[in-house]
Amino acid sequence: MVEQKQQWKTNKFNIRLCSLNLGIILTLTLCGCQEDLSLSSDSLPSNNSQSTNISQSTNMETSSSEIKTLSEAIVAPPSTLDYGQVPISDLFVDSKRYEYPYDTRFIPTYLSENNVLYGEGDASSDRTALFLASYDLNDGEFKKIADMNSQSEQASIGIISADKDLVIYEESDQSNNTSRYYLYDLKNNSVKEIYSIANIPALHYTQAVISSNGIMFNFYNPENGFYTNQFYSFQDENFTVVENDNCGFPIECNGLWYYLKIDNQNLVTQLIELDLSTRNKTVLYETNNGDNYISGLYSNGTEMFITVNKGNEIYLGRVDLENCQIEYLIESDWIESVQVNEDYISWLGSNTLSDRVRPQYYLYDINKGVLYQNDGGPIFLADNSMVWVEYKKKDSEINKGEIYQNENTDLVLKS
């Protein structure tokens, strides 16, 4: 009976971890789908025969010489239902609205810091002419950045990250189960393939965080179904393995790196702090049962935010590193696809509106403590701006796969 109870707890923990959203859903986000993610904790091999680093790769040994303990604020946070929500349209009264290109299908997926919206373009009606596209909201210019190398109808292209100088994107081809990762240099107008993975499932997650001296990637490992952190250096153009154990959600905050380690077997999740210069790791926070676990980590560069699952609820909070405390801001039964900037937090969650058939996107003002009621579509946050997909119809009146069309929605920029 004890063994059966422990197995049930293990399965329950695994099921909940399967719902984690690692931020970037490369293949299925483009068609508006989301599925489960399975993570585990065994060590990843330093040399993966099914992945190819176009650059050289090394392994960075680190140690945990220090342990800090984050405490949790005693006051329970309000739920999304406790807020008197302000209409999100109030934020965009004087904002400029943009239409979609008339001769090309465009699905936006990422907003950069200089108000350029990146996404997938398709010049055909059957996804046979896909390309990487940019929509500059400063001057309204829409253009093709790079063509798809694969000609397969089962291929897709997705933005992982971007800034004013670089675009990181992935080509995923389900016909041969291969993903290739590219850096597009906006200044030099050049593309470079830096990584590839064979035997990868259609549904997988990749994260990338651009810093001043390199990029922290979180890649899928097809040999065991785990994820590993690898740092790509701009200086030598090589990869360094930063974390071999199963991990996710790498972020940079005030010059240090942070990420989550997830151990399904022992029902443990950990928040890790990494000093890349000294190669020292510190455990900041840990959960050790299947009912409570860390499910996400996010940053705007100077502040850190965390989601923690507690029973059937998810708590979203701000991490005060100076005072070693987690201050929870809001709780709900569903919080994922979290984005943050200096002023706002956005996430995907349960519907609270009538005539709503799709999941609902939320927007929370960090400084004012205001939750906005969003009767429209996705929200894309950049450092000092955001784009909102404003509905022209009720959600229930927009057919599946037809959100990003001029008769149904507008793109609205607030900067």
Side-chain angles (χ1 to χ4, degrees), residues 120-124 127-132 146-148 152 155-157:
E120 179 191 78
D122 186 5
S124 69
R127 296 182 59 82
T128 57
L130 300 181
F131 60 91
L132 181 66
D147 285 306
M148 281 273 293
S152 168
S156 63
I157 190 168

Side-chain angles (χ1 to χ4, degrees), residues 123-141:
S124 69
S125 58
D126 55 2
R127 296 182 59 82
T128 57
L130 300 181
F131 60 91
L132 181 66
S134 69
Y135 195 174
D136 191 332
L137 301 183
N138 299 294
D139 56 18
E141 181 185 15

Side-chain angles (χ1 to χ4, degrees), residues 32 74 97 104 144 154 197 199 202 254 266 278 309 319 346 388:
I74 299 176
R97 282 155 175 79
T104 303
K144 178 191 296 186
Q154 299 182 53
I197 304 176
N199 299 323
N254 295 319
N266 297 302
T278 64
N309 286 47
V319 179
S346 174
W388 173 46

Side-chain angles (χ1 to χ4, degrees), residues 279-294:
R279 304 186 176 185
N280 185 67
K281 295 176 184 176
T282 303
V283 178
L284 298 183
Y285 182 68
E286 177 178 300
T287 67
N288 54 18
N289 67 72
D291 291 322
N292 300 322
Y293 58 89
I294 313 170

Side-chain angles (χ1 to χ4, degrees), residues 5-14 17 41 262-269 286-293:
K5 184 177 182 181
Q6 180 62 32
Q7 182 64 40
W8 177 85
K9 287 186 66 179
T10 301
N11 291 338
K12 184 179 180 183
F13 185 73
N14 286 333
L17 285 181
S41 62
I262 303 169
D263 183 341
N264 285 346
Q265 182 177 0
N266 297 302
L267 309 182
V268 173
T269 58
E286 177 178 300
T287 67
N288 54 18
N289 67 72
D291 291 322
N292 300 322
Y293 58 89

